[in-house]
């Protein structure tokens, strides 16, 4: 680990004033410290924002607000989250380990870096870590990699389960820098790699994620997160699906669905949603809708199983939702 300066600002304004080229915000530390130890990240200044007043979780007529520093575990256990948006609680509880969930923040979760092994190994080239150096994953170990949104420069998956759930729910992220505040839809916030895989989102230098908002969606009470992985805990998704459906008299009146483990960013499955709307919640309809899940997919040599697995994950999520009273 390389030398850095440390400061712990006590207000958002002080944090923004202290941020500069080469600085990094430290919240739960479960991503940043790992990557600093690996020499993947080497900030010249670490700004510990753990003391900032950004931990509120509240629900009212405008929807859900979660402060960026709310812990994953606290958010998952919050009764309003569990009741109104079970998909969020489930996505969080299927992430990481209890110890990490007790430390990691919501903002940090959304900004976590990819788990591509080449990215985390400074001895290998990686366009995301070192632009222009190459992408060994395309011809190398790519079983866990993306099949949607990839480019000839990068095929790393986005690692956050929470981001998949929030994308399905049309959530937004609140940002603040010295020039003011702005709010972006999470789906627009993340970028696909194209020729610039080192740019993963629209965050500006020194800008701080202050919170997340989720609009009111009454039928999100009927929502679920299904995660398929190599082992049952402490593992990233091969595929995952966040789904919410508005079921009326056996008919799917509306649906919101997103996928993880398959995209270079959380991937909204709008073609699946369209294929469900107005149709009966029956197995054959779920199969027909799921057939659209991997449209446009470009599997790599070792992850050709993902399109079929994604379709089955969609069917499993819809089947679980339809079976609920
Ligand atoms: Fe780097 Fe992306 Fe290639 Fe992985 S897939 S080695 S993160 S450029």
């Amino acid at each position: 680990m390389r030398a850095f300066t440390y400061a712990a600002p006590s207000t958002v304004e002080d944090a923004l004033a202290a941020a500069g080229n080469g600085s990094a915000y430290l919240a739960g530390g479960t991503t940043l410290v790992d990557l600093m130890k690996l020499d993947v990240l080497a900030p010249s200044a670490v700004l510990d924002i753990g003391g900032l007043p950004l931990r509120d979780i509240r629900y009212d007529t405008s929807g859900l607000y979660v402060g960026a520093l709310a812990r994953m575990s606290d958010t998952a256990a919050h009764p309003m989250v569990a009741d109104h948006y079970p998909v969020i609680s489930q996505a969080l509880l299927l992430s990481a380990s209890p110890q990490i969930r007790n430390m990691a923040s919501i903002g940090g979760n959304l900004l976590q870096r990819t788990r591509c092994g080449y990215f985390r190994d400074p001895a290998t080239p990686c366009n995301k870590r070192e632009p222009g150096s190459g992408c060994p994953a395309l011809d190398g170990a790519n079983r866990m990699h993306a099949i949607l949104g990839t480019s000839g420069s990068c095929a790393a998956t986005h690692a956050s389960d929470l981001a998949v759930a929030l994308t399905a729910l049309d959530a937004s992220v609140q940002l603040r820098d010295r020039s003011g505040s702005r709010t972006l839809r999470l789906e627009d916030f993340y970028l696909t790699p194209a020729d610039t895989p080192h740019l993963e989102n629209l965050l500006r230098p020194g800008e701080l994620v202050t919170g997340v908002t989720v609009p009111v969606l009454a039928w999100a009470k009927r929502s679920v997160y299904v995660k398929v992985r190599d082992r049952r805990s402490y593992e990233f998704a091969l595929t995952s699906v966040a789904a919410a459906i508005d079921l009326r008299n056996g008919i799917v009146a509306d649906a919101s669905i997103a996928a993880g483990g398959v995209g270079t960013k959380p991937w909204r499955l709008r073609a699946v949603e369209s294929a469900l709307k107005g149709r009966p919640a029956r197995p054959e309809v779920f199969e027909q809708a799921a057939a659209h899940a991997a449209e446009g997919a470009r599997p790599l040599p070792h992850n050709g199983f993902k399109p079929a697995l994604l379709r089955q994950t969609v069917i499993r999520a819809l089947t679980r939702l339809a079976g609920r009273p």
Side-chain angles (χ1 to χ4, degrees):
M1 189 185 287
R2 297 184 214 171
F4 57 89
T5 62
Y6 174 88
S10 55
T11 67
V12 170
E13 291 75 15
D14 287 349
L16 296 175
N21 269 349
S23 67
Y25 293 120
L26 173 72
T30 55
T31 286
L32 179 65
V33 175
D34 276 5
L35 293 177
M36 287 174 69
K37 286 180 177 174
L38 292 169
D39 240 358
V40 171
L41 295 179
S44 55
V46 170
L47 301 172
D48 185 345
I49 57 171
L52 301 186
L54 297 172
R55 288 176 191 266
D56 274 9
I57 303 172
R58 55 179 185 267
Y59 180 80
D60 57 27
T61 51
S62 61
L64 177 69
Y65 168 83
V66 182
L69 293 176
R71 299 291 176 211
M72 288 173 68
S73 51
D74 292 337
T75 308
H78 195 284
M80 291 306 222
V81 177
D83 184 30
H84 292 278
Y85 308 96
V87 64
I88 295 178
S89 288
Q90 292 169 26
L92 287 167
L93 292 172
L94 290 171
S95 303
S97 65
Q99 292 90 341
I100 290 174
R101 294 195 294 269
N102 285 338
M103 286 297 296
S105 67
I106 292 301
N109 181 294
L110 297 179
L111 295 178
Q112 67 181 286
R113 308 302 299 275
T114 183
R115 259 53 188 186
C116 173
Y118 301 105
F119 172 76
R120 298 170 72 85
D121 179 2
T124 65
C126 169
N127 285 328
K128 188 182 282 295
R129 177 170 31 78
E130 194 180 332
S133 62
C135 175
L138 297 178
D139 297 316
N142 50 44
R143 179 173 173 272
M144 296 293 290
H145 283 63
I147 56 173
L148 292 160
T150 59
S151 72
S153 297
C154 180
T157 50
H158 195 275
S160 169
D161 295 294
L162 172 66
V164 178
L166 293 177
T167 295
L169 296 171
D170 284 320
S172 295
V173 63
Q174 296 183 332
L175 309 170
R176 189 166 160 192
D177 67 8
R178 281 178 235 171
S179 64
S181 303
R182 60 185 182 139
T183 299
L184 296 176
R185 290 177 67 237
L186 197 61
E187 196 177 355
D188 302 329
F189 175 67
Y190 291 121
L191 302 173
T192 53
D195 294 330
T196 52
H198 59 293
L199 302 176
E200 299 178 340
N201 55 55
L202 293 175
L203 201 66
R204 297 170 181 150
E207 199 169 31
L208 184 63
V209 176
T210 57
V212 171
T213 56
V214 187
V216 172
L217 192 66
W219 42 275
K221 288 192 172 201
R222 188 186 291 271
S223 63
V224 70
Y225 191 73
V226 174
K227 183 174 181 178
V228 179
R229 47 189 166 168
D230 285 330
R231 57 184 182 194
R232 288 197 66 183
S233 72
Y234 200 26
E235 183 57 279
F236 293 93
L238 289 168
T239 61
S240 69
V241 167
I245 59 172
D246 182 7
L247 195 58
R248 301 185 187 189
N249 301 318
I251 302 294
V252 181
D254 211 340
S256 288
I257 305 175
V262 290
T264 50
K265 63 184 231 176
W267 209 259
R268 189 77 180 255
L269 301 182
R270 296 194 190 281
V272 177
E273 296 171 3
S274 298
L276 286 168
K277 287 177 192 173
R279 304 198 60 202
R282 292 206 196 113
E284 63 273 22
V285 172
F286 295 163
E287 270 191 43
Q288 290 161 12
H292 298 281
E295 282 176 354
R298 293 192 303 176
L300 296 165
H302 301 296
N303 66 10
F305 63 93
K306 282 200 175 186
L309 189 61
L310 174 60
R311 290 190 282 271
Q312 289 304 315
T313 312
V314 169
I315 292 169
R316 189 182 299 181
L318 294 172
T319 303
R320 280 196 198 168
L321 291 176
R324 284 195 193 162

